[in-house]
Amino acid sequence: MKRAVLKAVVAQFHHPHGTGGRLAGRVMAHRPSNRQRNVWVVSLLDVQPADRVLEIGFGPGLAIAELSRRVSARGHVYGIDHSDVMLRQATRRNAAAIAAGRVTLSRAPVDRVPAALSGPFDAILAVNSHGFWPAPAERLGELRRRLRPGGRIAIASQPRCPGATASTSRKAAREIEALLLDAGYAMARTETLGLDPPVVCVLAVNPDPSGGRPG
Ligand SMILES: C[S@@+](CC[C@H](N)C(=O)[O-])C[C@H]1O[C@@H](n2cnc3c(N)ncnc32)[C@H](O)[C@@H]1O
């Protein structure tokens, strides 16, 4: 019984739908640790005003809101999430930035990113989402091809399984690092935010064959 309830709750964070999904979205939007986690991840990405940024699995849209404060009319924030409940909540939360033309949100799964979002992006991020993706190494490879050479990616995780500890977070970081290396990224660094359990954010770059030299 306990296991069935846990499974149903996890399902609502994987693919929020119906009344349970609306509730899960509200929890994610208002839980202080969730807010802190999203603001922190965005702060690590070093977003510049003219950047084009893509978030996968935006949920209620906390990171999108934070990103939209950092880009100017020369940049743009894009997001996809496969849940229509999350699309509605994130759209309401970011209505002003969408109306101002700085944010575009779409409903799509990560394995079918719309062709219009081919990039190139300056930065891509996912917060507590990649663990739900089918074949995440393949997905990360596809996303790398949407990044400009030298573009950054941030994959963050705060393990939410019962009994998760700092050791669970360290294991999650090692798994993300391995996935990113497999997908052809060059590692930058791994950061930790001291919540309970800690949040880990692995930062990597799409290698630039020119070595970043102009021309
Ligand atoms: C735990 S929630 C995290 C939401 C948000 N990033 C945050 O930290 O507040 C996971 C989100 O990833 C989305 N998601 C899961 N699998 C996905 C997939 N295959 N494609 C697109 N979105 C996905 C879910 O719909 C959900 O909104």
Side-chain angles (χ1 to χ4, degrees), residues 158-199:
Q158 182 178 29
R160 289 301 200 184
C161 48
T165 61
S167 146
T168 322
S169 301
R170 280 194 297 273
K171 182 165 175 274
R174 286 195 297 274
E175 285 168 4
I176 297 170
E177 288 163 7
L179 283 171
L180 287 167
L181 287 173
D182 256 19
Y185 293 87
M187 283 305 302
R189 66 189 200 278
T190 296
E191 299 277 353
T192 303
L193 176 66
L195 301 181
D196 183 21
V199 189

Side-chain angles (χ1 to χ4, degrees), residues 12-16 28-29 34 37-38 55-63 80-83 86 108-111 126-130 132-134:
Q12 283 299 359
F13 289 89
H14 175 192
H15 197 153
M28 289 191 271
N34 254 43
R37 184 179 74 212
N38 278 279
E55 182 180 16
I56 311 291
F58 49 67
L62 299 178
I80 61 161
D81 195 296
H82 65 176
S83 158
M86 290 302 95
V110 65
D111 48 340
V127 184
N128 269 27
S129 182
H130 82 283
F132 295 119
W133 301 351

Side-chain angles (χ1 to χ4, degrees), residues 140-141 143-145 147-153 180-188 204-213:
L140 288 167
L143 291 173
R144 187 172 64 73
R145 290 186 277 283
L147 272 177
R148 68 163 169 79
R152 293 100 62 206
I153 189 162
L180 287 167
L181 287 173
D182 256 19
Y185 293 87
M187 283 305 302
V205 295
N206 182 24
D208 182 348
S210 78
R213 291 183 299 276

Side-chain angles (χ1 to χ4, degrees), residues 31-43:
R31 211 181 202 183
S33 62
N34 254 43
R35 301 182 72 85
Q36 217 181 325
R37 184 179 74 212
N38 278 279
V39 169
W40 176 72
V41 173
V42 170
S43 76

